[in-house]
Amino acid sequence: MNEKVMRNHRKRQTIIFSIIIIVLTYLSSDITNFNIIHGIATLPEAVKWIFSNLFINGETLERLPKILEKLAETILMSIAATTTATVVSIFLGIMGSKTTGTSTALGMFARFVASIARNIPVVAWALILLLSFGQNSVTGYLALFVGSVGFLTRAFIESIDEASLSAVEALRATGATYFQIVYKAVIPQCLPQMISWILFMIETNIRSATLVGILTGTGIGYSFDLYYKTLNYNAVALVTFSIVLSVIVIELISNHIRKVIL
Amino acid sequence: MSLVKVEKLGKSYNSQTKVLKDISFEVGSGEFVSIIGPSGAGKSTLLRCINRMVEIDEGKVIFDDLDVGSLNKKELRKMRTNIGMIFQHYNLVPRLSVIENVLHGRLGYKTTLQGVFNKFTEAEKEHAFFLLKKLGIEDHAYKRCDQLSGGQQQRVGIARSLIQEPKIVLCDEPIASLDPNASKVIMDYLKSITMELNITCIVNLHQVEIARNYSDRIIGLSKGGIVFDGPSYRLATDNTDEIYGTKTVETRKLVTV
Amino acid sequence: MEATATYIKRKSNGQITIKSGNKVERVIRWTLILLTLLTVVAFMFFNYAGLDLAKAIPETAYNLKTMFLEPGLSHFSWGEAIYQVGITLGLAFLATILGAVIAFFLALMAATNLSNRWVSKTIRVVVAFIRAVPTVLWVLIFAISAGLGSEAAVLGMLFHSIAYLVKAFSEAFEEVDKGILEALRSTGASWWHIVTHAILPSTFTYLLSWTFLRFEINFSVAVAMGAAAGAGGIGFELFMASGFYFDLREVGLITYMILLLAIILEIISTRLKSRYFPATSTN
């Protein structure tokens, strides 16, 4: 009896849930003018187009040095944004974590800053900064930097919260100062986790840097945009492949580092 | 001359229950005292009131002629360098080497920057090795702490407290997570080293037998109050019954009524 | 003290080493050194064209002040603004829900306990490739190959959603208790029976929360696609307001709207996370 009621209840829940999803899907398609049939129908054509247009030929390879230079610029920018954001985030993370925080007001402040920085999308930051910084690497760098501070601070707060408090207690009992405790008992415990997040952030930033580059006219994003707008699809293919290759290589390196340190 | 003097100490974490009430005792220089009692009797809190790891609510703790409760931050740090502490779960930093963990005991003597940049003198490092040798684990000095057994980790904990050159060592259930063999090793080291260096030692224990075997004096704690305080040989079954609230106490009370 | 000398390691300058010097420590140290060096190199090679910090910083401060303290709309109405937000949410929702359905089947094939080794490996490699292409490139590529419109945006975002969810879903499937699968197999249940009776019930809440997490990500991706790939929605309005009309007050208001939604989504997903993933498995 009871089981039957429960099963009916569950059935009803499933039905309601499905209806909600279907209604939302319908509304979304309606508002965005998305036609799933049309979407699926164009897919084979799109794939055909990709294979017949997006390939690399000898002529585009001449552009390789220039593309690689732009790619290097983008990668370096992503790394610089991540590392400098790390420095800020460590302080904000220490302020914001329950384990190491010294006052609730400072903790709230750190969490607030991180939340704003993270929840305003990187594109928005890029557009805002573009107004006064102009089209150069610094604009992209700053946009990525702000986004990274937001994300890393949250990640660091979580890592620090997870660190065991026992060593903190022991160091406190020896008469160590606050910074000694943080540096000797807390950081060593979270360092591998933090590095893992930093590597993750670099990977993410390289992808975002392409996007930001399209807006700010720098790096590999600019190259892509340029060839895309001049309909030079072979060069577009080369740019895409160079990004894919570098992202995969960086991912492999980070995974290797993670495997050793975690 | 007494090193630690506890006067009418009281402590409560919330308004309903008092963890410690009206505790008074004195511990002299070089004494080896065990505090026994069931879990929840307030042993840990009592121990932590001595180096003010928990704030003192009522009464006073005098350590080495200092009123512990009234010290400011800096004075408190300075006082803590004179008090070693050993924990049930060793409380080491798992990813650091044994020798680094031992040297953490010197942080109280350093400025913030000296500590952060690992500015330990050669004499301090040699002292650390000397202590590790004394505790029989110098061959593990460069291992990471999480690679050691529980007994070995506790010996690192002891070395960390001894390198502080403390006047007293507070041990909070040092053997509660160890097997009997390792427990014996740890208690032997504690006893012999504190005796040799004339360091006062206060140990929280819940094994009465061990307390009787190793300590000069036993303090029995029950429900936040002292129910026994005297030389270990004077501790009788009646006392342990009262400390641990075993049935016999009530039956005896019934008889006396 | 001399007797201890055998175990003491010394540096070249005669000082006693205190680090354990194992592989983990070395890798951590070199990673940090390398990243620092690359950062220095990055700042040296930056393209500083047209940058005037002395002007840019106070100007940005002024802009931020105008944006956030005097937000307002001038080129379109509130109704229009909400409609545009609706488009962005719609794009994000479609990409997420379609992605979740497709990812579910692919994840079944990618989970090592449900599939054969080669199929699983192939899917993983393909997924890694898809993830390596930035979403904006997918959207732009589809925009020319499939014709402009929301289809391109949804398809482009779909690719990354699938890649992300396949990884998450297949890991959830792999954590299903081996015993349950074995028990069902021994009763002669078919592969689909196992999926519907063992895998789906025991992982459903995980799948749902992962899908929601992806929706949160897709919202900001949809904003980005609007701005950088002309996919429409509030992102496009942001791009127009800042790059075309230079209307700071409108930029401010749009940013506030995006921020508000993003924070709401984040709060929900944090709740879900702490409820269904008590042992944080964020990576």
Side-chain angles (χ1 to χ4, degrees):
Chain A
M1 173 71 192
N2 209 354
E3 199 187 327
K4 208 173 168 190
V5 172
M6 250 175 66
R7 199 179 290 170
N8 274 337
H9 185 68
R10 241 182 118 174
K11 218 176 191 173
R12 208 166 41 234
Q13 265 188 341
T14 315
I15 290 170
I16 292 172
F17 179 74
S18 312
I19 290 174
I20 291 176
I21 293 288
I22 289 168
V23 168
L24 282 177
T25 310
Y26 175 76
L27 284 177
S28 304
S29 319
D30 191 54
I31 199 172
T32 58
N33 283 322
F34 177 78
N35 185 334
I36 190 160
I37 314 286
H38 184 230
I40 293 170
T42 51
L43 200 56
E45 233 170 287
V47 173
K48 214 171 89 191
W49 187 92
I50 288 174
F51 278 104
S52 52
N53 286 287
L54 289 185
F55 57 85
I56 302 160
N57 60 21
E59 190 230 332
T60 48
L61 281 178
E62 282 167 25
R63 299 176 197 274
L64 193 61
K66 193 135 184 76
I67 289 174
L68 287 182
E69 190 193 311
K70 291 283 181 193
L71 185 67
E73 187 190 329
T74 300
I75 294 174
L76 284 175
M77 182 168 97
S78 313
I79 292 174
T82 311
T83 47
T84 42
T86 303
V87 176
V88 177
S89 296
I90 285 180
F91 284 104
L92 288 176
I94 289 169
M95 274 203 271
S97 164
K98 275 173 232 118
T99 314
T100 50
T102 43
S103 82
T104 18
L106 279 178
M108 293 260 282
F109 170 76
R111 282 160 194 270
F112 176 76
V113 168
S115 174
I116 298 288
R118 165 176 79 235
N119 281 314
I120 295 180
V122 175
V123 236
W125 283 119
L127 289 173
I128 293 167
L129 292 163
L130 194 57
L131 290 172
S132 36
F133 278 87
Q135 292 208 332
N136 54 52
S137 313
V138 178
T139 311
Y141 159 78
L142 282 175
L144 293 179
F145 169 80
V146 176
S148 307
V149 166
F151 182 86
L152 286 178
T153 302
R154 177 167 77 165
F156 287 177
I157 288 177
E158 274 174 20
S159 310
I160 294 174
D161 278 344
E162 273 170 42
S164 122
L165 275 173
S166 63
V168 173
E169 188 189 22
L171 258 63
R172 215 152 65 85
T174 66
T177 62
Y178 171 75
F179 282 105
Q180 288 173 344
I181 294 172
V182 169
Y183 197 80
K184 291 282 163 186
V186 180
I187 301 288
Q189 288 186 66
C190 339
L191 196 58
Q193 197 65 45
M194 284 174 159
I195 289 181
S196 173
W197 282 119
I198 293 169
L199 296 171
F200 174 79
M201 199 68 230
I202 292 176
E203 291 162 29
T204 314
N205 273 347
I206 289 177
R207 269 176 285 216
S208 315
T210 314
L211 172 74
V212 170
I214 292 177
L215 293 170
T216 60
T218 48
I220 196 76
Y222 173 69
S223 310
F224 183 90
D225 202 37
L226 183 75
Y227 299 131
Y228 180 82
K229 281 186 177 143
T230 53
L231 312 181
N232 185 348
Y233 296 129
N234 297 323
V236 166
L238 184 63
V239 170
T240 309
F241 277 113
S242 57
I243 294 174
V244 169
L245 212 65
S246 53
V247 170
I248 287 180
V249 167
I250 287 172
E251 234 177 69
L252 287 176
I253 296 173
S254 344
N255 282 343
H256 185 74
I257 294 175
R258 278 199 194 96
K259 215 178 258 169
V260 175
I261 63 175
L262 285 180
Chain B
M1 195 206 94
S2 70
L3 183 67
V4 179
K5 195 167 167 190
V6 177
E7 282 172 22
K8 294 192 159 60
L9 176 68
K11 171 78 195 172
S12 51
Y13 290 110
N14 54 42
S15 51
Q16 286 101 27
T17 44
K18 272 192 126 180
V19 187
L20 295 176
K21 48 200 172 205
D22 203 23
I23 303 257
S24 300
F25 64 90
E26 283 182 36
V27 178
S29 207
E31 258 190 292
F32 195 109
V33 182
S34 291
I35 301 177
I36 59 171
S39 40
K43 301 191 298 279
S44 278
T45 309
L46 175 56
L47 212 60
R48 282 171 171 72
C49 281
I50 296 174
N51 59 354
R52 220 174 104 192
M53 294 294 281
V54 300
E55 288 300 322
I56 297 160
D57 288 348
E58 292 162 29
K60 259 187 186 174
V61 175
I62 311 283
F63 171 77
D64 206 15
D65 297 327
L66 294 167
D67 180 2
V68 175
S70 66
L71 297 178
N72 66 26
K73 251 183 169 175
K74 208 171 160 195
E75 293 164 338
L76 182 64
R77 277 189 56 208
K78 191 156 180 283
M79 181 204 76
R80 280 182 183 159
T81 59
N82 286 318
I83 304 179
M85 193 158 189
I86 290 163
F87 304 85
Q88 176 182 352
H89 300 293
Y90 334 123
N91 295 17
L92 306 171
V93 184
R95 286 184 164 271
L96 296 183
S97 69
V98 167
I99 194 80
E100 279 178 282
N101 266 293
V102 174
L103 286 167
H104 282 167
R106 296 301 298 178
L107 287 175
Y109 293 97
K110 306 265 159 194
T111 65
T112 295
L113 284 180
Q114 281 175 332
V116 165
F117 290 108
N118 271 338
K119 289 279 176 230
F120 296 109
T121 63
E122 294 308 293
E124 282 171 331
K125 293 179 196 169
E126 270 166 33
H127 188 196
F129 270 97
F130 168 76
L131 289 170
L132 287 177
K133 183 181 162 63
K134 216 171 169 59
L135 290 155
I137 46 170
E138 60 163 344
D139 47 334
H140 299 304
Y142 290 108
K143 278 195 187 157
R144 269 169 54 161
C145 280
D146 44 8
Q147 294 168 339
L148 302 185
S149 71
Q152 288 166 334
Q153 290 196 40
Q154 192 57 291
R155 281 187 260 173
V156 179
I158 296 176
R160 178 178 61 194
S161 68
L162 292 178
I163 204 167
Q164 288 178 245
E165 295 174 321
K167 293 184 176 150
I168 186 171
V169 177
L170 307 173
C171 312
D172 188 22
E173 305 269 8
I175 54 170
S177 314
L178 299 175
D179 61 66
N181 283 333
S183 297
K184 187 173 180 309
V185 173
I186 293 296
M187 288 309 292
D188 286 344
Y189 274 123
L190 269 181
K191 178 83 181 166
S192 63
I193 291 175
T194 49
M195 225 154 99
E196 183 189 329
L197 301 172
N198 194 31
I199 297 171
T200 311
C201 190
I202 303 182
V203 190
N204 277 353
L205 287 169
H206 57 246
Q207 302 94 323
V208 180
E209 270 320 298
I210 293 178
R212 224 196 299 256
N213 288 344
Y214 285 92
S215 41
D216 314 323
R217 173 178 156 200
I218 289 177
I219 294 175
L221 216 56
S222 174
K223 290 172 191 157
I226 292 182
V227 289
F228 176 87
D229 184 356
S232 352
Y233 62 86
R234 292 253 306 271
L235 185 80
T237 335
D238 285 3
N239 305 117
T240 56
D241 285 344
E242 193 182 352
I243 293 166
Y244 287 94
T246 19
K247 266 188 193 137
T248 38
V249 181
E250 273 138 51
T251 39
R252 201 183 57 243
K253 268 186 187 157
L254 272 177
V255 172
T256 36
V257 165
Chain C
M1 275 190 207
E2 287 79 42
T4 63
T6 41
Y7 290 107
I8 296 179
K9 291 184 197 165
R10 284 175 192 277
K11 287 184 246 177
S12 47
N13 62 6
Q15 287 184 345
I16 298 173
T17 329
I18 60 170
K19 295 275 175 194
S20 54
N22 55 17
K23 198 176 172 195
V24 178
E25 238 168 48
R26 276 202 312 274
V27 170
I28 288 181
R29 177 146 23 94
W30 279 109
T31 308
L32 293 178
I33 290 174
L34 202 68
L35 288 177
T36 314
L37 283 178
L38 286 172
T39 307
V40 174
V41 172
F43 280 113
M44 278 165 24
F45 284 93
F46 264 6
N47 158 23
Y48 293 102
L51 177 74
D52 182 1
L53 274 183
K55 229 180 80 199
I57 291 171
E59 228 177 273
T60 306
Y62 174 78
N63 288 351
L64 286 173
K65 205 185 87 199
T66 317
M67 277 170 48
F68 290 116
L69 297 181
E70 308 157 23
L73 287 178
S74 42
H75 293 93
F76 53 98
S77 66
W78 270 98
E80 177 77 3
I82 289 166
Y83 176 72
Q84 296 295 340
V85 171
I87 291 183
T88 301
L89 281 173
L91 290 175
F93 186 79
L94 285 173
T96 312
I97 203 77
L98 295 176
V101 173
I102 298 169
F104 175 74
F105 293 104
L106 287 176
L108 288 175
M109 292 194 266
T112 44
N113 54 346
L114 296 169
S115 166
N116 89 36
R117 218 152 51 89
W118 285 109
V119 176
S120 148
K121 262 227 167 91
T122 317
I123 289 183
R124 273 158 207 267
V125 170
V126 172
V127 162
F129 176 81
I130 290 174
R131 271 163 55 87
V133 181
T135 313
V136 64
L137 300 198
W138 280 123
V139 174
L140 288 172
I141 289 172
F142 279 114
I144 30 173
S145 60
L148 269 168
S150 56
E151 278 88 6
V154 173
L155 279 177
M157 286 162 63
L158 187 60
F159 266 57
H160 262 240
S161 307
I162 293 174
Y164 177 93
L165 291 176
V166 164
K167 187 166 179 277
F169 286 3
S170 59
E171 272 163 20
F173 294 156
E174 278 159 14
E175 270 163 35
V176 172
D177 189 4
K178 252 191 204 154
I180 300 175
L181 300 185
E182 222 171 15
L184 274 172
R185 273 196 197 117
S186 69
T187 63
S190 74
W191 188 80
W192 278 110
H193 277 138
I194 295 174
V195 169
T196 49
H197 286 96
I199 301 287
L200 199 53
S202 51
T203 54
F204 190 68
T205 46
Y206 280 89
L207 305 189
L208 216 58
S209 8
W210 275 116
T211 308
F212 191 84
L213 293 188
R214 184 64 214 185
F215 179 62
E216 188 202 344
I217 299 172
N218 274 352
F219 173 69
S220 61
V221 174
V223 172
M225 291 313 110
I234 198 72
F236 183 67
E237 297 302 331
L238 179 68
F239 175 71
M240 291 303 280
S242 76
F244 203 74
Y245 302 122
F246 299 106
D247 186 338
L248 287 171
R249 296 171 60 224
E250 203 164 272
V251 171
L253 195 93
I254 295 173
T255 308
Y256 269 127
M257 289 168 82
I258 298 171
L259 180 64
L260 185 73
L261 264 174
I263 287 180
I264 292 172
L265 292 177
E266 189 186 75
I267 290 170
I268 300 176
S269 73
T270 312
R271 290 260 166 91
L272 282 174
K273 225 157 100 187
S274 59
R275 192 159 152 202
Y276 295 117
F277 313 120
T280 40
S281 58
T282 23
N283 217 337

